[in-house]
Amino acid sequence: MSTFGSPLGNTSVIFDLDGTLVDSEPNYYEASRALLAEHGVRYTWADNEAYVGIGTQETLATWRDRYGIDVPVAELLTELDRRYLDLARADTHVFPEMRGLVERLHGAGVPMAVASGSSRAAIDAILSGTGLDAQLTTVISADEVAHGKPAPDVFLAAAALLGADPADCVVFEDAAPGATAAHAAGMRCIAIPYVAAHADAPAFAAAALLLPGGQSEFTAQAALDFLSAAPLRARQAPSF
């Protein structure tokens, strides 16, 4: 994909979805709580925080072992997706500053992709339901690569779809596994922790920019200022 005319030169931006672009964790928690309750497991919000940023299939495999659930991961995934999509279609909140950033990057011609640990069905439902699919047309799910985060596969696949060098990509992430994946992919990471208590996680220490206060500290303009000032290759003069 050509980046001619972009004020950020060769820079491409890759967004995580859940907890980064949208506040989907409450819906994932409720879907997970209800699913596990069917198997006699009491699941709390505190339990859920341990899985923020981990791919759905990896999470379900962990639950099978931890809680002794004798159901294949594929069946659990189908049921979790059904519950989650019912909730997501009814109400998913886009972080306003993130929507503003996406709109401004799109208007400036900056290549963008979404790379998420959620299933492709969940990603597509969220993007279409929130209208983000108008600007974010390049999408990859961790289900479509060999390994989910913290492995770099999903981010490298996103870069390939954009025709971008990983070194020219900047990842926006809310979770430590995603920050680890971005670093392993050779990409810069702007970290906006969803769980405040995780802000001091070692994975975030390597972030090019860390906002410990999460979304309460994030602004589209600050992100654009950072991207414009960062030493990326073949940059033209910023004109946001």
Side-chain angles (χ1 to χ4, degrees):
M1 178 180 293
S2 171
T3 60
F4 179 78
S6 166
L8 299 185
N10 287 342
T11 303
S12 293
V13 172
I14 301 174
F15 291 100
D16 172 57
L17 180 62
D18 303 299
T20 299
L21 285 172
V22 300
D23 189 8
S24 53
E25 286 304 328
N27 288 340
Y28 264 117
Y29 165 66
E30 179 54 30
S32 299
R33 185 203 61 75
L35 174 64
L36 289 172
E38 284 192 351
H39 296 278
V41 178
R42 181 176 178 273
Y43 188 72
T44 68
W45 180 260
D47 295 328
N48 190 73
E49 286 186 342
Y51 298 98
V52 171
I54 299 176
T56 306
Q57 293 212 38
E58 289 87 350
T59 296
L60 292 170
T62 299
W63 288 349
R64 285 186 76 249
D65 293 339
R66 178 165 298 175
Y67 301 125
I69 300 172
D70 189 21
V71 176
V73 168
E75 290 185 24
L76 292 173
L77 179 61
T78 297
E79 181 58 23
L80 183 64
D81 266 359
R82 182 188 67 77
R83 293 179 179 277
Y84 172 72
L85 290 174
D86 285 345
L87 295 166
R89 292 188 181 107
D91 182 28
T92 297
H93 173 70
V94 182
F95 294 115
E97 289 292 328
M98 277 293 177
R99 187 187 289 278
L101 176 62
V102 169
E103 290 173 350
R104 293 176 70 177
L105 290 174
H106 180 262
V110 177
M112 296 182 291
V114 172
S116 171
S118 291
S119 70
R120 184 59 181 261
I123 298 169
D124 290 345
I126 290 295
L127 293 179
S128 63
T130 58
L132 288 171
D133 59 338
Q135 293 90 27
L136 297 169
T137 57
T138 300
V139 177
I140 184 77
S141 165
D143 292 353
E144 300 170 274
V145 297
H147 305 286
K149 304 171 189 177
D153 302 29
V154 71
F155 289 140
L156 291 173
L161 288 173
L162 292 173
D165 188 315
D168 291 327
C169 294
V170 178
V171 171
F172 284 75
E173 257 289 352
D174 74 294
T180 298
H183 182 70
M187 300 177 183
R188 300 165 187 81
C189 178
I190 295 179
I192 312 117
Y194 184 84
V195 180
H198 295 178
D200 60 354
F204 286 138
L209 177 65
L210 170 63
L211 301 174
Q215 290 292 337
S216 65
E217 191 177 338
F218 178 83
T219 68
Q221 188 58 55
L224 292 170
D225 290 345
F226 176 83
L227 291 171
S228 298
L232 303 179
R233 294 185 289 161
R235 165 156 304 130
Q236 301 170 22
S239 59
F240 287 105

